[in-house]
Amino acid sequence: MMPEAVAEFTDVSKTYASPWRPGRTVQALRGISLRIEAGEILALLGPNRAGKTTLVKILLGLCRPGGGSVLRLGRPLSDRSTLGRIGYMHEHQAFPGYLTATGLLHFYGDMSRLAPSVLKARVPALLDRLGLADRALEPIDRFSKGMVQRLALAQALLTEPELLVLDEPMEGLDLTGRQLLHETVVQQRQAGKTVVLVSHALGEVAQICDRVAVLVGGRLAYLDSLASALRDPDTGAARTLEAALAPIYRS
């Protein structure tokens, strides 16, 4: 018997009305079948308009699939109680600039119904872990892009989620910040948690991911471990990965 997947997409499709051509549609996903296993780091790669954002939106309950089925933490998407077990870091942050880092995390903690005693211990620990302890009481509008990214990661980790979804998390981070993010992601895996890294660049995630899923034109063009492709560059897996990545580097 296969272990329960953290998320499972089965023949999932999604069609939108075209924002550019009235009366026409855009097929964002075309028959995606994908299991996200417990305790793995999965890199979700693809060029612009490949379907990555749509897949994540469906997982987070922000839109419904047009066809197929999805299980989230072993339950149907209609069971919204599972959302409390997911942490999400958006690609573009829009935090209120007047709040401090501490204030923002307490705000999100309150919305997540974390006990005040939990927040009192967890918020300073997260800020220290992510190198923001000395800016804890400073307004966010004074933060650099990299500092905002670190704060967004802290917010995503606040509930100690079973599944952590990070959308373009490297954006704006310097070398130290990227190393810190890598360490954090690996620590999640070591704790038995699952991480999905959404990215345009394989080089950003290659060192830490267990498997790579490449979307191109709404289809799953590659799904396997990097080791399978890198072990022998002349294998079918390597050639398939190279072909799947080609549209990314052309975009």
Side-chain angles (χ1 to χ4, degrees), residues 52 187 215 236 238 240 244:
K52 306 187 302 296
Q187 288 166 2
L215 292 182
T240 301

Side-chain angles (χ1 to χ4, degrees), residues 128-149:
D128 182 62
R129 175 181 173 185
L130 296 175
L132 293 173
D134 61 336
R135 313 294 286 271
L137 300 179
E138 187 170 331
I140 296 170
D141 61 8
R142 298 182 187 175
F143 282 18
S144 67
K145 170 66 173 177
M147 290 169 61
V148 171
Q149 287 292 87

Side-chain angles (χ1 to χ4, degrees), residues 104-185:
L104 181 87
L105 295 184
H106 275 272
F107 171 73
Y108 277 106
D110 289 341
M111 287 203 302
S112 301
R113 299 183 179 179
L114 294 178
S117 58
V118 172
L119 288 173
K120 185 177 180 180
R122 194 173 294 174
V123 167
L126 274 172
L127 292 175
D128 182 62
R129 175 181 173 185
L130 296 175
L132 293 173
D134 61 336
R135 313 294 286 271
L137 300 179
E138 187 170 331
I140 296 170
D141 61 8
R142 298 182 187 175
F143 282 18
S144 67
K145 170 66 173 177
M147 290 169 61
V148 171
Q149 287 292 87
R150 293 187 190 205
L151 182 58
L153 179 58
Q155 177 265 314
L157 291 168
L158 189 58
T159 59
E160 298 186 345
E162 297 173 41
L163 171 60
L164 182 63
V165 181
L166 306 177
D167 194 351
E168 299 290 349
M170 308 292 183
E171 183 71 25
L173 291 178
D174 59 15
L175 185 60
T176 300
R178 291 182 179 221
Q179 182 60 38
L180 188 60
L181 185 136
H182 280 204
E183 292 172 358
T184 300
V185 168

Side-chain angles (χ1 to χ4, degrees), residues 39-101:
E40 77 167 333
I41 301 172
L42 175 73
L44 182 60
L45 305 180
N48 293 329
R49 298 191 297 275
K52 306 187 302 296
T53 298
T54 299
L55 196 69
V56 169
K57 283 183 175 180
I58 289 174
L59 178 61
L60 298 176
L62 299 177
C63 68
R64 297 179 180 179
S69 62
V70 183
L71 292 177
R72 181 177 59 217
L73 295 164
R75 303 292 300 165
L77 290 177
S78 58
D79 185 351
R80 299 185 66 82
S81 67
T82 55
L83 290 172
R85 297 155 62 189
I86 299 175
Y88 176 56
M89 177 179 171
H90 197 280
E91 178 181 5
H92 303 294
Q93 315 308 330
F95 298 143
Y98 61 86
L99 287 179
T100 65

